[in-house]
Amino acid sequence: VDAESGAQEGVQPPAGEHRRPLEDSEICDIPEVASNPDVFCDDGVDWGHLSREVETFVQAARPSQQEILSGDEVVRRIAVAARELWPGSEVHLFGSRATGLSLAGGDLDLVILGVVDDTHLGGG
């Protein structure tokens, strides 16, 4: 457990919780960075500044809590409508929203499984 942030090493913080940006001297202490032959920790690059710029971009690009809740409501409503039209159907979210990589203003990728076309049976 990191004494300053209280975060457990190797464990991602829950959604909405943010760790402090790494300082320049801490970037090359990360084993994956230190062992990467493409990263030169003594090259004079301000890695901490880059880390802060990336964190700033992530904060600006991620969807707001309201946008996430609205998207969840849209998925719920589509699932209800799908079950009314096709009992037993399932709505599944996929893509960036499902993986947690969506951007603000991004779309929702959905698929509806279990759709039965009964028009050839005289049902529609």
Side-chain angles (χ1 to χ4, degrees), residues 50-71:
L50 177 60
S51 174
R52 289 185 293 277
E53 284 187 15
V54 169
E55 178 66 23
T56 299
F57 169 76
V58 167
Q59 294 304 320
R62 79 169 27 142
S64 69
Q65 187 64 27
Q66 181 59 46
E67 186 175 354
I68 291 169
L69 293 173
S70 295

Side-chain angles (χ1 to χ4, degrees), residues 44-121:
V45 173
D46 184 356
W47 293 105
H49 179 75
L50 177 60
S51 174
R52 289 185 293 277
E53 284 187 15
V54 169
E55 178 66 23
T56 299
F57 169 76
V58 167
Q59 294 304 320
R62 79 169 27 142
S64 69
Q65 187 64 27
Q66 181 59 46
E67 186 175 354
I68 291 169
L69 293 173
S70 295
D72 291 346
E73 179 62 14
V74 167
V75 172
R76 187 192 70 73
R77 288 181 181 195
I78 290 172
V80 167
R83 283 191 300 272
E84 286 177 9
L85 291 170
W86 306 288
S89 65
E90 298 176 357
V91 174
H92 293 273
L93 185 65
F94 67 96
S96 61
R97 180 68 185 270
T99 62
L101 298 174
S102 62
L103 300 176
D107 64 348
L108 294 171
D109 300 305
L110 303 171
V111 62
I112 303 174
L113 302 176
V115 173
V116 178
D117 178 12
D118 62 357
T119 56
H120 66 283
L121 301 174

Side-chain angles (χ1 to χ4, degrees), residues 20-28 30 33 36 38-41 43-59:
R20 66 173 175 74
L22 295 175
E23 297 298 325
D24 297 347
S25 62
E26 297 173 304
I27 299 294
C28 288
I30 300 170
V33 172
N36 185 336
D38 295 325
V39 176
F40 301 97
C41 288
D43 62 0
V45 173
D46 184 356
W47 293 105
H49 179 75
L50 177 60
S51 174
R52 289 185 293 277
E53 284 187 15
V54 169
E55 178 66 23
T56 299
F57 169 76
V58 167
Q59 294 304 320

